[in-house]
Amino acid sequence: MKVLVPVKRVIDYNVKVRVKADGSGVDLANVKMSMNPFDEIAVEEAIRLKEAGKADEIVVVSIGVKQAQETLRTALAMGADRAILVVAADDVHQDIEPLAVAKILAKVVEEEQPGLVLAGKQAIDNDMNATGQMLSALLGWSQATFASKIDIEGDHALVTREVDGGLQTIKVKMPAVVTVDLRLNEPRYASLPNIMKAKKKPLDEKTAADYGVDLTPRLEVVKTDEPPARAAGIIVGSVDELVEKLKEAGAV
Amino acid sequence: MAPEPFSDEVRMIRDTARAFVDRVIRPNVDDWEEAGRFPRELYLKAGAAGLLGIGYPEELGGSGGGVFHKLAWIEELMRAGSGGLAASLGSLDIGLPPLVKFGSDELKREIVPRVLAGEKIYALAITEPGGGSDVANLKTRAERVTVGNREYYRINGAKTFITSGCRADFYTVAVRTGGEGHAGISLIVVPREAEGFSSGPPLKKMGWWASDTAELFFDDCLVPAENLIGEESRGFPMITSNFQMERLTLAVMANVTSEMALEAAINHARDRRAFGSALTGHQTIRHKLADMGTLLEASRALTHACATRMEAGEMIFKEISMAKNFATDACDRITYDAVQIFGGMGYMRESVVERLYRDARILSIGGGTREIMNEIIAKQMGL
C-alpha cells in the first residue's frame, strides 16, 4: 500500500508570532519555519506503518512556496521515500485556502493512487481543520479525523478518535483519509545517516497550474490582531485569601 | 553574515540535535550537573542518532559531513547549558582524529565504529602533572619490549585533567619513545583493560561539573605494539593536526555560553524592577547589554569566518587562535556582566548564569591557553 502524506510549512511553534504593522496578517519574513507538528505525526505514523510491513511506499507532498522543499527534505530524512512539491505561491505571506489545497491533493491522489492519505488534523498557523475533510469529500473516500490510534486490517482501518468525553473507535473502509491528533505518536528526529541520504531521494517539482486548480481566495481577512496582553496577577498570602479572591472573581 | 554552506543538511542536523537535546538532555541536565556525572547510555543515544559520527567517514561508521555540520551539533549541544556534558560526550572529537588520520586500518576498524556508535568512550591524554602547554617536554615513557613472542610498549608515567578520564574505554596517549623534545613523542592507543593502567577518582572542578575529569596512571602498562598510531616518534604533528578544529570548537563553545548568558541577562533585566522601572530602563544596564551584544556579534563573525576558511581547507593557525582568544575573552566578559546584572540571584546555583560563569573559565585554558594562542599569533605575525 502506498501512503500519501501532505505536509505544510508553517511558522515554527517556538517562534513568538508577531502581527504585521498593517494588521493584514502575521509577519513571516525572516522567521524560522518548520513542518506543521501534526503533519510530522502523520509522517511518523506512515513510517511506522511501513516498518510494520503495512505500507510499502511513503510519498510526501507539500503545496506552497518553493522553500517548502525544505519541509519535504525533512520528511524524506525522517523516512519518506519520495516527495512532490507543488509551487502555488511566490510569497510566504500568500496563504492557500483549504479548498484549493484539497483540490490539488485530490489531483495528486488521482495520479498517485495511494491506499491511504494521512494528514495532520490541522495546521498550527491558521487552525482551519478542514483540508482532510474536504479532501475526503472531493474523493468520495471514507474519513476518520483526530486519530489517536490507527490499525490497518485488510480493507478496513480501525481508528480511535479523541472526542469530547473520551475515545471513540470507528471502522472505516479503505481507501481513506485519516487526520491525526497529537497523541498518536512521538515523531522521531531524523538520524544523521538518513539526513545525508535524503538529498538523494527524488523530489518532483510541480506547479498549481499543472493541476488546473483555481487558487483564488474565497475568504477575506478583515483584520489580524495581537491577542490581548495578559493582565498582571496578584500574590495572595494564604489559601483562605486565595479562595476569597476566586469567589470574588466568580471562579468558584 | 554569509550563509552557511550545505545549509539544508545543516538545518536538518540542527533540528535533530535540538530535538535530541530537548528530549534527552535538557530535562535532566541540572540533576546531572549537581551529581557530577551523566548516564553512560547518553553516548549510545547520541551514537544511534548519528550525532557522534559527524565529520567521520561513513566506512568507519561515521555520518560524514564537514565543519558546519559539526558546529551545528556542538552549538545545539552547548545550548543544553552544560559545558561539562558537552566536553565529556564530545571527548571522542579530540581523541579520535589522530587515530582516524594516521592509525592503521586494523586499529581503526576495531575501535572507531564502536566509539561512533556510542558503545565505547574515547579520550585524549596529553597533559601531565608536571606540564600542560609544554607538550614537547612530556615525561611519560614508552619502551618497546618483547613479552613471550609478542611486541609491546611498556608505558610508565601519569596524565592529568583528562576529560572522560574516569570511564573512557580507550585513550590516545602521548608518550616519549625517543629523545628530548617534540621529535621523541609517539601516540599510542591504550585500552582501559590494559595491564598496569588505572584512573583516579573524578577531580573536583570549578566548572564543567557533569564532566568526568581524572588522572591516569601507567605503571608498567603493557600495550600491544600494533596500538601505536602511525610511526614511532612522529606523534607531535599528529597532536597538532587537530588543534585547528579543537580551537574552533572552543570558540563556538564560548560563543554559545555568551549567547545563553546574554539571553538570560536580557530576560532578567526585562522582568526585574528597581527604582521605579525595569532594569532595561536604566542606562547603565541597557548599555551594558548593548556592549555584551556587540562583543558576541563580533566574536561570532570572526568564528564564522574561520569556520568558512577551514571548510575550504585553509590552514589558519593565526586566525583560529585569534578567534579562540576573542571568543573566550568575550565569554569571560559577558558571563561576568550577566552575573552582575542578576545581582545576588546571579550568585545562586539556581541561576543559569552562575553555571555559565564557572563553565566559561576553562575555555581560555583548555585546548591551548590564552598565552599559547598569543605566542602562535605573534609567531605568525613574524615577531
Side-chain angles (χ1 to χ4, degrees), chain A residues 52-83:
Chain A
K54 298 199 167 173
D56 45 38
E57 192 185 17
I58 302 164
V59 181
V60 286
V61 53
S62 192
I63 300 165
V65 289
K66 198 168 165 78
Q67 295 91 313
Q69 64 171 283
E70 287 179 5
T71 313
L72 291 168
R73 287 270 175 234
T74 298
L76 293 172
M78 284 174 74
D81 297 298
R82 67 190 168 83

Side-chain angles (χ1 to χ4, degrees), chain A residues 121-247:
Chain A
K121 69 167 180 177
Q122 65 196 55
I124 60 163
D125 49 4
N126 292 334
D127 281 345
M128 290 287 200
N129 180 11
T131 305
Q133 293 88 328
M134 286 175 171
L135 176 62
S136 114
L138 290 171
L139 294 170
W141 285 15
S142 359
Q143 64 166 287
T145 53
F146 313 146
S148 63
K149 191 166 185 290
I150 300 171
D151 283 315
I152 310 284
E153 288 174 1
D155 61 345
H156 287 82
L158 278 178
V159 178
T160 303
R161 314 176 61 233
E162 297 192 348
V163 294
D164 287 348
L167 298 174
Q168 178 191 59
T169 303
I170 60 171
K171 189 174 176 183
V172 293
K173 201 168 159 11
M174 303 283 273
V177 176
V178 178
T179 75
V180 306
D181 213 330
L182 190 64
R183 278 161 289 273
L184 179 63
N185 60 46
E186 186 186 37
R188 71 195 61 195
Y189 36 80
S191 74
L192 272 286
N194 286 338
I195 289 173
M196 300 309 207
K197 272 182 227 150
K199 65 182 172 217
K200 290 176 198 128
K201 291 182 177 177
L203 193 157
D204 282 346
E205 198 178 313
K206 309 261 186 162
T207 66
D210 294 339
Y211 297 100
V213 171
D214 174 17
L215 299 174
T216 316
R218 267 82 169 161
L219 305 171
E220 186 195 342
V221 175
V222 181
K223 197 159 76 126
T224 307
D225 280 325
E226 294 273 359
R230 225 176 96 185
I234 52 164
I235 293 173
V236 294
S238 66
V239 174
D240 288 343
E241 196 190 337
L242 174 65
V243 173
E244 194 180 305
K245 294 283 181 199
L246 287 172
K247 276 182 182 161

Side-chain angles (χ1 to χ4, degrees), chain B residues 38-48 52-53 56 60 88-93 95-96 99 107-124 163-164 166-171 189-194 212:
Chain B
F38 60 90
R40 206 182 156 107
E41 295 79 64
L42 194 61
Y43 290 89
L44 280 171
K45 288 178 182 171
L52 297 182
Y56 295 94
L60 290 174
S88 270
L89 190 60
S91 64
L92 77 163
D93 285 333
L96 274 189
L99 172 60
L107 199 56
K108 283 194 278 193
R109 274 199 302 270
E110 183 203 328
I111 296 173
V112 179
R114 291 189 286 164
V115 174
L116 300 183
E119 292 161 14
K120 298 288 174 189
I121 300 175
Y122 206 102
L124 177 70
T163 301
S164 292
C166 296
R167 60 183 179 185
D169 302 288
F170 297 101
Y171 301 81
V189 178
V190 178
R192 166 163 289 275
E193 67 268 17
D212 58 309

